[in-house]
Amino acid sequence: MEAELIAYIEDYLDGKSSKEELEKQAAQFEVEDLEKEIEWVRDSRLAIEMAGLREELKGIDFSATEEKKKIRSMKLWRPLMAIAAAFLLLLVVYLGIQPSENENQLYAQYEYKVPGLPMLMSQSENYLLYDALTYYGEENYAEAARRLTDIQTQFVDNDTLLFYLGASLQYEGRVEDARKPLEKLGQMPSSFGEQADWLLVLGSIKEDDIELAQKYLKPILENKDHAFHTQAMKLSQDVKDRK
């Protein structure tokens, strides 16, 4: 995130500017999800405050009287907070460090969530398959992957099972395991093929394996009719720019 944008969001959170003013500033940085950026800054500030509080508590003499503790707390709190906030903010901006999970930002930018299938159980002959997919629709990817794996021998080369098994594994964080079913889809005619191609690209980006991502990007870039051709072109350029 740009340092200037962080400053604008800080002003908004401190009540120094309105939401409308912030939105105008954010538009200059081509921010797609302003609420997400605001939440990031808010969480960062909270993390800084908690870090400052922990350090402050380490230095408090708990054997002192309540009155002395209050006085000491008042003296320590503001300087510690100011130093911690300034230092951590500079570190985040300079090094590009993201708090919380050190999430791959390129992956987050292009992340694609596959929707569940809009089908009622009573309308399906493949009850076990669509029963498993209800867990996918609830975003319980671990359970969906487990159930789809259990019934895989009953639905050999079923493209629906392969696709949603791959998607479930990938969203669960098991990117390497997801590749086998997703790659298998590329070897058969399937309406899920193009989505599977894109998930393979994103899985490689998530693991920061740029070389593998470029391998998966190549056939998409060569096919102008591919559903994800436009996204692939932009992602390919972003990958080159970050080298």
Side-chain angles (χ1 to χ4, degrees), residues 1-25:
M1 191 188 304
E2 297 285 346
E4 288 182 68
L5 179 58
I6 292 175
Y8 291 136
I9 295 176
E10 288 271 357
D11 287 344
Y12 166 69
L13 292 175
D14 292 336
K16 296 179 182 178
S17 66
S18 66
K19 185 67 172 292
E20 290 74 16
E21 292 173 325
L22 176 59
E23 289 173 344
K24 290 179 183 178
Q25 298 294 345

Side-chain angles (χ1 to χ4, degrees), residues 14-204:
D14 292 336
K16 296 179 182 178
S17 66
S18 66
K19 185 67 172 292
E20 290 74 16
E21 292 173 325
L22 176 59
E23 289 173 344
K24 290 179 183 178
Q25 298 294 345
Q28 299 177 16
F29 295 93
E30 299 182 352
V31 174
E32 296 182 359
D33 191 343
L34 180 57
E35 291 301 323
K36 184 177 180 180
E37 304 294 349
I38 293 173
E39 189 64 25
W40 181 86
V41 174
R42 185 181 288 114
D43 290 345
S44 298
R45 286 164 55 130
L46 180 60
I48 293 170
E49 291 176 7
M50 292 301 294
L53 178 59
R54 284 196 296 270
E55 291 302 314
E56 179 187 347
L57 291 175
K58 290 179 183 178
I60 293 177
D61 180 7
F62 286 96
S63 64
T65 64
E66 288 298 319
E67 189 63 30
K68 287 181 179 180
K69 283 190 282 184
K70 290 179 181 178
I71 294 173
R72 187 169 186 178
S73 176
M74 289 293 290
K75 289 180 178 179
L76 286 172
W77 179 259
R78 290 187 179 279
L80 278 172
M81 281 297 299
I83 293 171
F87 177 76
L88 187 55
L89 184 57
L90 285 173
L91 192 62
V92 167
V93 172
Y94 183 72
L95 297 179
I97 295 175
Q98 297 291 335
S100 69
E101 301 176 358
N102 292 321
E103 184 181 9
N104 184 313
Q105 292 303 297
L106 193 57
Y107 173 80
Q109 182 179 347
Y110 288 92
E111 185 176 14
Y112 172 69
K113 284 292 185 182
V114 176
L117 289 176
M119 183 176 292
L120 297 176
M121 290 298 176
S122 59
Q123 297 176 340
S124 172
E125 296 178 358
N126 300 323
Y127 176 83
L128 289 176
L129 175 58
Y130 290 101
D131 178 48
L133 292 180
T134 59
Y135 291 91
Y136 180 91
E138 296 169 0
E139 299 187 4
N140 186 346
Y141 302 122
E143 184 63 18
R146 185 186 72 78
R147 288 174 177 259
L148 288 168
T149 300
D150 287 346
I151 63 173
Q152 196 166 8
T153 56
Q154 301 175 50
F155 295 88
V156 179
D157 292 338
N158 182 290
D159 63 338
T160 300
L161 184 145
L162 288 171
F163 178 63
Y164 280 97
L165 174 58
S168 298
L169 290 168
Q170 181 147 314
Y171 295 145
E172 191 192 353
R174 297 165 58 187
V175 176
E176 188 171 347
D177 293 334
R179 289 193 183 117
K180 184 176 180 180
L182 292 176
E183 286 181 341
K184 192 170 183 179
L185 273 172
Q187 302 169 11
M188 63 175 71
S190 171
S191 59
F192 298 112
E194 294 183 337
Q195 293 180 83
D197 292 341
W198 190 236
L199 287 181
L200 285 167
V201 171
L202 295 183
S204 304

